[in-house]
């Protein structure tokens, strides 16, 4: 009996010594095989649901206390790089929209429209999206935590953090201890990522199969190709301009350690704890990334801008609508602005496609059919979109700080 226990302990030690990325790949392969061989074993998918559910549950609380603790202990006059980070978020999202529009011109696609998507209400215009964002700012803080409204969570955390700057040291220490405890819980959850991803990929393969993706192969290639171009060409150029060094080590590290988990969780919000850990590993300033990472999960939406632009132009091509250059530029701006209103959950950008389609006079019922196509290809599209969105949250935060350090030398 004692010998068996020792063997089990050795197995756990060997598993723990393997890097998290390698363990995730193992979980991916096992989930893929199980999904193809045993598609009826639906109980396996609960592993993925538990993993994502745990991340989504802890992320709002983590952000709330991290931001409060960071701001309450911030020394007056201490520098942060938030202005540069926000500029990069906006610029990156706009450039992603431009890439998508250019790709759509070079490789136009048309759609076979599905049945209308019922029970979904798309926003009526950019004004409605912006109004929603502003109302989220003043949302009840308890409701904001309950509903994972990160704009509301950030607002109240910033207000409370500033108000607690003059609190007693014991209060600040207690806030720091709570933040550390929640961060430790997050690390425990992330260590379960290989099993969670096993369940997630199993559910995708067993329910969707591989054949459904082949029917929309050209659209998927255009979406994924545009996002890869942003990740591997546009972002490295931005990084090089900022740090004047080879950008690829940083770009690839962000894609590997942030983009990989975001690809499978398909939620920028759920990936916030992962990004926090990566920022800490990179040695970035807590005063910046405690705010920039949760903010990026809401407004840094380059992948969403790609999705919105390509699907709306595909709808225009399907209906034979010619889109001139000035209108295409307006689409880039509209896609960037509306992408900031995309929620940090799976499929959040798709309901903003009708908003972009309205620019071409496409009726809402047709646009909602395009949304239906979006959900069909969402197995790949939304995963890649979230990986791009979430990894650039860390990337742009790092670039802003590294650029500031370079200028200070």
């Amino acid at each position: 009996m004692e010998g068996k226990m020792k063997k089990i302990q050795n197995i756990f030690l060997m598993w723990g010594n393997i890097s998290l990325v390698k363990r995730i790949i193992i979980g991916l392969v096992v989930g893929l095989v199980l999904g193809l061989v045993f598609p009826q074993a639906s109980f396996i998918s609960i592993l993925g649901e538990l993993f994502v559910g745990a991340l989504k549950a802890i992320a709002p609380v983590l952000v709330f206390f991290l931001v409060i603790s960071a701001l309450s202990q911030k020394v007056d006059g201490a520098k942060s790089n938030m202005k540069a980070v926000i500029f990069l978020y906006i610029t990156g999202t706009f450039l992603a929209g431009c890439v998508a529009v250019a790709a759509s011109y070079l490789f136009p696609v048309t759609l076979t429209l599905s049945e209308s998507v019922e029970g979904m209400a798309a926003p009526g215009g950019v004004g409605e999206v912006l109004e929603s964002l502003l109302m989220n700012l003043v949302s009840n803080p308890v409701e904001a935590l309950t509903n994972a409204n990160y704009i509301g969570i950030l607002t109240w955390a910033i207000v409370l953090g500033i108000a607690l700057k003059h609190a007693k040291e014991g209060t600040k220490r207690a806030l720091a201890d709570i933040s550390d405890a929640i961060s430790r819980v997050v690390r425990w959850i992330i260590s379960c990522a290989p099993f969670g991803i096993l369940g997630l990929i199993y559910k995708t393969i067993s329910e969707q199969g591989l054949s459904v993706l082949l029917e929309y192969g050209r659209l998927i290639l255009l979406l994924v190709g545009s996002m890869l171009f942003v990740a591997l060409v546009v972002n490295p150029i931005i990084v090089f301009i900022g740090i004047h060094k080879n950008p690829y080590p940083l770009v690839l590290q962000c894609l590997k350690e942030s983009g990989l988990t975001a690809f499978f969780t398909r939620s920028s919000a759920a990936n916030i704890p992962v990004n926090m850990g990566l920022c800490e590993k990179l040695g970035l300033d807590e005063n910046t990334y405690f705010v920039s990472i949760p903010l990026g999960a809401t407004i840094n939406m380059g992948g969403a801008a790609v999705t919105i632009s390509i699907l709306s132009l595909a709808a225009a091509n399907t209906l034979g609508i010619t889109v001139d250059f000035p209108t295409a530029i307006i689409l880039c701006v509209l896609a960037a602005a509306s992408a900031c209103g995309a929620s940090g959950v799976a499929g959040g950008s798709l309901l903003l496609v009708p908003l972009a389609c309205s620019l071409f006079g496409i009726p809402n019922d047709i646009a909602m059919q395009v949304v239906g196509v979006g959900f069909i290809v969402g197995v790949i599209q939304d995963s890649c979109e979230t990986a791009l969105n979430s990894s650039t949250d860390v990337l742009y935060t790092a670039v802003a700080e590294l650029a500031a350090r370079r200028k200070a030398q």
Side-chain angles (χ1 to χ4, degrees):
M1 184 68 179
E2 188 174 332
K4 288 183 178 179
M5 289 296 295
K6 195 169 184 179
K7 285 182 180 179
I8 294 173
Q9 287 178 349
N10 289 336
I11 290 172
F12 275 109
L13 284 172
M14 288 175 60
W15 177 253
N17 289 331
I18 301 172
S19 71
L20 181 61
V21 173
K22 291 180 180 177
R23 282 182 280 158
I24 287 174
I25 293 173
I26 293 170
L28 165 63
V29 173
V30 173
L32 179 64
V33 172
L34 290 175
L36 293 172
V37 178
F38 304 108
Q40 302 304 319
S42 57
F43 63 90
I44 297 175
S45 64
I46 197 173
L47 293 172
E49 294 170 10
L50 288 171
F51 174 66
V52 175
L55 276 179
K56 287 183 177 179
I58 197 68
V61 183
L62 173 72
V63 170
F64 188 67
F65 281 101
L66 281 178
V67 174
I68 290 177
S69 178
L71 292 179
S72 67
Q73 298 181 55
K74 183 180 178 183
V75 178
D76 288 333
K79 294 183 178 180
S80 75
N81 302 295
M82 280 307 301
K83 289 182 180 179
V85 173
I86 292 173
F87 173 78
L88 288 171
Y89 283 170
I90 295 171
T91 302
T93 302
F94 173 73
L95 290 177
C98 292
V99 167
V101 169
S104 294
Y105 271 107
L106 292 173
F107 309 101
V109 297
T110 56
L111 306 174
T112 301
L113 298 180
S114 61
E115 295 298 320
S116 181
V117 180
E118 298 179 359
M120 297 183 179
V126 176
E128 188 175 330
V129 173
L130 295 178
E131 181 184 355
S132 177
L133 284 175
L134 291 174
M135 292 306 297
N136 283 337
L137 288 173
V138 294
S139 174
N140 181 291
V142 177
E143 288 183 1
L145 282 167
T146 303
N147 299 324
N149 165 19
Y150 286 94
I151 286 289
I153 291 170
L154 273 172
T155 302
W156 290 113
I158 290 170
V159 170
L160 288 170
I162 294 173
L164 287 167
K165 284 184 69 174
H166 303 291
K168 295 180 179 179
E169 287 302 315
T171 302
K172 294 181 180 181
R173 196 177 307 115
L175 287 169
D177 289 342
I178 292 172
S179 297
D180 290 341
I182 297 171
S183 298
R184 191 173 299 111
V185 172
V186 169
R187 286 194 289 271
W188 293 343
I189 295 171
I190 292 172
S191 68
C192 298
F195 303 101
I197 287 168
L198 186 156
L200 289 169
I201 196 67
Y202 171 85
K203 183 177 181 181
T204 298
I205 297 301
S206 62
E207 292 182 0
Q208 300 285 347
L210 299 175
S211 60
V212 69
L213 301 180
L214 299 177
E215 298 177 15
Y216 296 93
R218 192 173 180 186
L219 176 61
I220 292 173
L221 285 174
L222 184 60
L223 286 163
V224 174
S226 298
M227 293 179 197
L228 283 174
F229 187 87
V230 173
L232 299 176
V233 178
V234 175
N235 282 345
I237 292 173
I238 293 173
V239 175
F240 179 77
I241 292 171
I243 67 175
H244 290 193
K245 292 180 180 179
N246 179 4
Y248 283 99
L250 179 60
V251 169
L252 294 177
Q253 183 178 9
C254 290
L255 286 172
K256 183 179 76 170
E257 299 190 29
S258 171
L260 187 62
T261 54
F263 181 90
F264 293 106
T265 60
R266 295 172 63 188
S267 170
S268 297
N271 212 49
I272 286 174
V274 177
N275 285 349
M276 291 283 196
L278 180 54
C279 286
E280 182 180 1
K281 182 177 178 180
L282 291 171
L284 303 182
D285 182 14
E286 293 180 349
N287 290 322
T288 299
Y289 74 76
F290 277 7
V291 178
S292 70
I293 294 302
L295 180 63
T298 304
I299 69 168
N300 182 33
M301 292 288 173
V306 169
T307 298
I308 293 166
S309 299
I310 286 179
L311 285 178
S312 58
L313 284 172
N317 292 335
T318 301
L319 298 177
I321 298 172
T322 301
V323 179
D324 56 25
F325 183 74
T327 306
I329 296 298
I330 295 172
L331 175 62
C332 294
V333 176
L334 180 62
S338 57
C340 294
S343 58
V345 298
S349 62
L350 292 177
L351 289 181
L352 294 167
V353 170
L355 175 60
C357 285
S358 66
L359 182 64
F360 312 127
I362 297 173
N364 190 62
D365 59 338
I366 299 295
M368 290 306 289
Q369 292 182 47
V370 178
V371 174
V373 173
F375 276 107
I376 292 172
V377 301
V379 176
I380 297 296
Q381 166 268 322
D382 196 43
S383 295
C384 294
E385 175 185 314
T386 310
L388 176 61
N389 291 344
S390 196
S391 62
T392 51
D393 292 348
V394 181
L395 183 67
Y396 292 160
T397 299
V399 169
E401 181 163 337
L402 294 174
R405 290 178 189 176
R406 183 181 62 83
K407 291 178 180 177
Q409 291 177 350

